[in-house]
Amino acid sequence: MSKTGASDNVRQFTVGADDDGVRLDRWFKRHLPQVGFATVSRWARTGQIRVDGKRADVDFRLAAGQLLRVPPGGDPKAAGPAPRRPLTEEELELADSMVLTQDRAAIVLNKPPGLATQGGKGMTSHVDGLLDAYAAEGPRPRLVHRLDKDTSGVLLIARTPGSAAFFSKRFSGRTARKIYWALVTGVPSIEDGMIELPISKQPGTGGEKMHVDMEGGQPARTRYRVIDRAGNRACWVELHPLTGRTHQLRVHMAAIGHPIVGDGKYGGQDAFLSGSISRKMHLHARRLIIDHPDGAPLDVTAPLPEHFAMGMEQLGFEEADGADIPEPRAEDTREDKKRLAKAHAKQFRKERRGERRSRGGDAPGRPAPAGGRTRNSTGSATTARSAPSKAGTGRPNTAKPGAGKSNAGKPNAGKPTTGKPGGAKFGAGKPSADKARSGPSRPSTGKPAGGSGKPGGKPPAPRGKR
């Protein structure tokens, strides 16, 4: 952003590349934060704000290179950035040692285990508190994703607000590829598979622990691949999270019976190996592949921490065996993810609709609704036919026309009918009084019920009154 003019006069700003596509009100929040939204709205409504000489509303999207005219007021120097906390020599050295690569848009770090990404209760040292070390000039860098405190590996930092918005879209749109390495106890029976288990916060833990929740959990998908194994004791797996739930990889691996080595929070004592294997968690964000604002994708690999590398060596694993990563499957593309999500939602609605229809059908002595859909033991859908009414209740069967082929159990079963094949039609006219009675039916006169040969017609007139 370049500026001409003083704060007490009309000023002109040139929209920079990092502000390309940003809303007008967001531009003011970035560069003139002391000007409130109400003031910006009034300026836009009265035409005092101009973009390339034209009026613009607060929701107008700016483009790089456009000339923005701002009325007097709101000196950017008056507010300025918040004062930054001075960092110690140790903190500056730590911040410098974590850098893998950096450019005008991004800083890629190799976060060590035990260092939190963001501050919290009782946390004084975290990555967010070290970002001032990378902001000698210009805006303060921003976090765009997180790693657990005990997880090591690639962590992407956006250098500018524009690049932060760009990278955030890639993470939320699931176009960024994140590859994790982990050592887990035991060996999965399926060495290349997909885990699809919904996750939610575990009640009573204050949101500090997650668990598999089939009823109200958020969808979570993880693809895994066994790279090597140390007998049946442990194995080395490659993990690809296709969603970004909290503690997703840790919860999923523990749910299938193979917790990550050192993850006592979800694996308990089963997560620790005997011998000299470290008790630290062996989960490492190995590689990140993501689009870059300058065009060429950003592909960064983080070296293993010391305890992870020692564990690999003691179990006989060679780091070179995991150099190649498989291409994403067809179902992992964005279009197919949407298709799978729609299919999952449709199947879920069908199952719930079947539950509502058959809610009373499985109870003893109560028939399933005619024409409803139930699930058999194989999980396939079947169509339920009409069933007899409750014995002794006298209630007529509520099956739809043509729902059943047998007349057994109907109150007028003893009367001959002349309806079309496939069962008598119900509801064509008002039900007769005989249909509401329980007990044996009247003897048939040999004539069709209704006299006219049509179901639901008038009964024959009594003798002497014809």
Side-chain angles (χ1 to χ4, degrees), residues 40-61:
V40 176
S41 300
R42 177 168 52 83
W43 285 351
R45 186 172 62 253
T46 56
Q48 298 183 64
I49 297 178
R50 300 277 175 158
V51 178
D52 287 342
K54 299 179 181 179
R55 297 174 65 130
D57 293 329
V58 291
D59 58 352
F60 179 80
R61 297 279 179 177

Side-chain angles (χ1 to χ4, degrees), residues 167-416:
F167 290 129
S168 296
K169 282 185 178 181
R170 271 62 193 173
F171 279 108
S172 61
R174 312 301 179 198
T175 59
R177 293 196 69 189
K178 297 178 287 185
I179 297 94
Y180 288 75
W181 281 2
L183 300 182
V184 302
T185 60
V187 181
S189 57
I190 301 175
E191 295 192 350
D192 189 342
M194 184 79 70
I195 305 173
E196 297 184 84
L197 295 172
I199 295 175
S200 68
K201 293 181 180 180
Q202 183 171 325
T205 62
E208 296 294 329
K209 192 174 181 181
M210 312 297 287
H211 73 138
V212 174
D213 185 357
M214 301 304 294
E215 297 294 331
Q218 293 181 309
R221 301 173 69 231
T222 301
R223 182 186 174 188
Y224 72 92
R225 178 176 70 96
V226 176
I227 300 176
D228 202 354
R229 58 189 292 174
N232 293 326
R233 182 186 180 195
C235 68
W236 168 24
V237 296
E238 181 182 82
L239 302 170
H240 297 253
L242 303 182
T243 52
R245 310 302 176 202
T246 303
H247 299 173
Q248 174 177 320
L249 302 181
R250 300 164 63 182
V251 173
H252 275 179
M253 295 311 297
I256 65 173
H258 303 283
I260 296 172
V261 174
D263 187 12
K265 187 170 190 174
Y266 291 101
Q269 290 299 320
D270 295 337
F272 300 100
L273 298 178
S274 59
S276 58
I277 302 296
S278 174
R279 294 179 67 85
K280 293 182 179 180
M281 189 164 69
H282 291 67
L283 178 61
H284 179 69
R286 174 66 173 179
R287 190 174 177 183
L288 175 66
I289 305 172
I290 190 171
D291 294 336
H292 193 278
D294 293 341
L298 183 65
D299 188 346
V300 185
T301 301
L304 294 172
E306 183 179 359
H307 78 280
F308 201 119
M310 291 181 61
M312 294 267 291
E313 183 180 355
Q314 292 170 7
L315 294 173
F317 299 145
E318 295 290 338
E319 190 173 329
D321 294 339
D324 297 331
I325 60 173
E327 292 297 324
R329 294 178 177 176
E331 68 265 25
D332 294 343
T333 62
R334 188 171 184 179
E335 291 75 14
D336 286 332
K337 285 179 184 177
K338 291 182 179 179
R339 177 181 55 80
L340 289 173
K342 289 181 180 179
H344 174 75
K346 184 177 181 180
Q347 182 65 24
F348 180 77
R349 289 193 299 269
K350 281 185 177 180
E351 291 176 356
R352 293 301 303 273
R353 185 164 62 246
E355 291 176 4
R356 290 194 295 269
R357 288 180 175 177
S358 60
R359 188 162 294 166
D362 296 335
R366 188 171 182 179
R373 298 182 70 80
T374 60
R375 295 276 164 182
N376 57 23
S377 60
T378 61
S380 59
T382 58
T383 302
R385 296 188 178 274
S386 59
S389 60
K390 274 188 176 182
T393 60
R395 288 190 293 177
N397 195 302
T398 59
K400 295 181 180 179
K405 296 182 180 179
S406 173
N407 291 329
K410 297 177 183 177
N412 60 345
K415 298 181 181 181

Side-chain angles (χ1 to χ4, degrees), residues 113-189:
L115 180 64
T117 304
Q118 286 181 304
K121 187 177 181 180
M123 291 186 183
T124 57
S125 180
H126 45 82
V127 175
D128 192 34
L130 301 175
L131 294 184
D132 289 332
Y134 312 115
E137 295 180 359
R140 189 175 189 269
R142 303 185 181 189
L143 296 167
V144 291
H145 71 124
R146 295 180 299 173
L147 294 178
D148 294 343
K149 180 180 178 181
D150 295 325
T151 302
S152 58
V154 179
L155 182 66
L156 179 64
I157 307 296
R159 192 180 282 279
T160 63
S163 60
F166 180 89
F167 290 129
S168 296
K169 282 185 178 181
R170 271 62 193 173
F171 279 108
S172 61
R174 312 301 179 198
T175 59
R177 293 196 69 189
K178 297 178 287 185
I179 297 94
Y180 288 75
W181 281 2
L183 300 182
V184 302
T185 60
V187 181
S189 57

Side-chain angles (χ1 to χ4, degrees), residues 22-33:
V22 74
R23 283 170 51 117
L24 181 61
D25 55 342
R26 294 292 301 175
W27 184 94
F28 273 90
K29 190 172 183 179
R30 288 182 182 179
H31 302 289
L32 296 175

